[in-house]
Amino acid sequence: MDFTYAEYGRLLETIRSKGYSIDGYNSHYESRRTVILRHDVDVSLEKAVDMAKFEGQWGAKATYFILISSDFYNVFSRHSLECIEKIMEYGHEIGLHFDEKKYFNAETWDAKEIIKKIIWEKNLLEEMTGIKVNAVSMHTPSAKTLEADLQIPGLINSYSQKFFKEFRYISDSFHRWRDNVWAVVEDEKTEKLHILTHAFWYNEESLTRNEEICKYIENGTKYRYKLIEDNILPPDMKLVDCFSEKES
């Protein structure tokens, strides 16, 4: 499957043609054949907005998990909050993407303490955005976290055993599908699907993993130029290109 919006649209069309209902973590109980669409926003909120708009045009509802400890975006900036609002306007839900490595390592891992931190981040995200958060997904979870099957008060754990045993889970992590996604979706015997995609990889045209990363880095340079001009320089001043020859 190419990482293009056209191919993703074909996937959504196939899901519907096979009689699946696209549901959320709280609504899947009502459907016999159900699909939960999930997006972990690891790198770019802007790409998440693009995907949310595309899904909204298809009438597909997904959950976008926001990483408040991301090194790539500041979830509490005005721009980021506007992106999150747009995702919701397109009909989607917001969840918490939690990175346990921010707090724990193999020696300090503790289930009760992890749950406390998850709840603390969930409350913080709710307070800053005004959005009710009902679900959490783990960012590169450790084996201990997966085995613990964490039960978190007030939150659905998308990595709980329920969503890996009762559902067929497939993912496009790091720009590759570990299973044949078409074969999985078209399998008449599978009644519950849990599909994780990362909006970062999808474009109008088909790009390799390295091409997408290089494109992101190039766009990041342009974006930072604009940030400097908008936030530091006087309105009538433009930034000199750092990569052009220095003025004599």
Side-chain angles (χ1 to χ4, degrees):
M1 175 178 170
D2 287 338
F3 286 80
T4 64
Y5 294 122
E7 278 289 272
Y8 187 69
R10 190 161 74 90
L11 177 64
L12 295 178
E13 185 176 15
T14 303
I15 286 171
R16 288 205 169 116
S17 71
K18 294 299 178 179
Y20 287 102
S21 172
I22 299 176
D23 300 305
Y25 287 96
N26 282 308
S27 60
H28 68 87
Y29 305 96
E30 302 168 7
S31 306
R32 184 179 68 84
R33 290 176 65 80
T34 181
V35 174
I36 295 176
L37 299 178
R38 162 186 155 202
H39 303 289
D40 289 348
V41 186
D42 299 327
V43 179
S44 172
L45 278 170
E46 293 81 11
K47 293 297 290 287
V49 171
D50 291 342
M51 178 65 86
K53 181 179 179 179
F54 182 83
E55 286 177 323
Q57 292 170 343
W58 279 81
K61 181 177 181 179
T63 302
Y64 286 75
F65 289 92
I66 307 300
L67 183 64
I68 71 170
S69 59
S70 173
D71 289 323
F72 293 98
Y73 58 85
N74 174 12
V75 72
F76 301 126
S77 74
R78 180 177 63 186
H79 173 71
S80 293
L81 291 175
E82 288 173 350
C83 287
I84 293 172
E85 289 174 0
K86 287 180 181 177
I87 291 170
M88 293 194 66
E89 287 173 2
Y90 291 128
H92 308 292
E93 296 184 350
I94 299 298
L96 171 69
H97 200 29
F98 179 79
D99 185 2
E100 66 184 78
K101 296 188 298 298
K102 178 182 176 183
Y103 306 103
F104 307 98
N105 56 39
E107 288 71 35
T108 61
W109 188 94
D110 181 274
K112 291 183 179 179
E113 291 303 315
I114 285 180
I115 290 174
K116 287 182 181 179
K117 290 297 185 182
I118 290 173
I119 293 174
W120 181 80
E121 286 200 3
K122 173 251 190 189
N123 291 338
L124 181 60
L125 183 58
E126 287 184 334
E127 182 176 350
M128 292 299 295
T129 63
I131 297 168
K132 177 63 177 174
V133 175
N134 296 310
V136 60
S137 75
M138 307 303 174
H139 182 62
T140 59
S142 65
K144 286 185 178 180
T145 295
L146 293 176
E147 292 168 0
D149 193 24
L150 299 175
Q151 304 300 307
I152 307 155
L155 281 175
I156 293 171
N157 178 6
S158 68
Y159 273 95
S160 67
Q161 292 298 308
K162 172 186 177 63
F163 294 107
F164 283 84
K165 289 186 175 180
E166 294 183 20
F167 285 71
R168 175 68 186 274
Y169 173 76
I170 52 176
S171 168
D172 69 353
S173 295
F174 206 50
H175 200 273
R176 67 179 185 271
W177 290 94
R178 288 166 176 74
D179 302 281
N180 184 329
V181 62
W182 300 113
V184 172
V185 171
E186 292 173 358
D187 183 2
E188 298 291 342
K189 296 179 182 179
T190 303
E191 294 191 342
K192 296 182 178 181
L193 290 175
H194 186 196
I195 302 177
L196 167 60
T197 53
H198 295 78
F200 178 71
W201 300 121
Y202 290 81
N203 296 278
E204 294 293 342
E205 71 280 14
S206 179
L207 298 178
T208 67
R209 180 174 58 205
N210 285 352
E211 286 172 340
E212 175 56 43
I213 291 172
C214 289
K215 179 183 176 182
Y216 172 75
I217 293 171
E218 181 182 352
N219 289 340
T221 299
K222 298 174 183 176
Y223 177 64
R224 281 165 177 76
Y225 266 83
K226 189 175 187 308
L227 286 180
I228 293 293
E229 290 180 342
D230 290 348
N231 292 282
I232 296 178
L233 298 183
D236 59 345
M237 185 181 296
K238 293 297 181 182
L239 189 65
V240 175
D241 186 351
C242 296
F243 300 102
S244 65
E245 294 184 5
K246 293 184 178 180
E247 296 179 344
S248 57

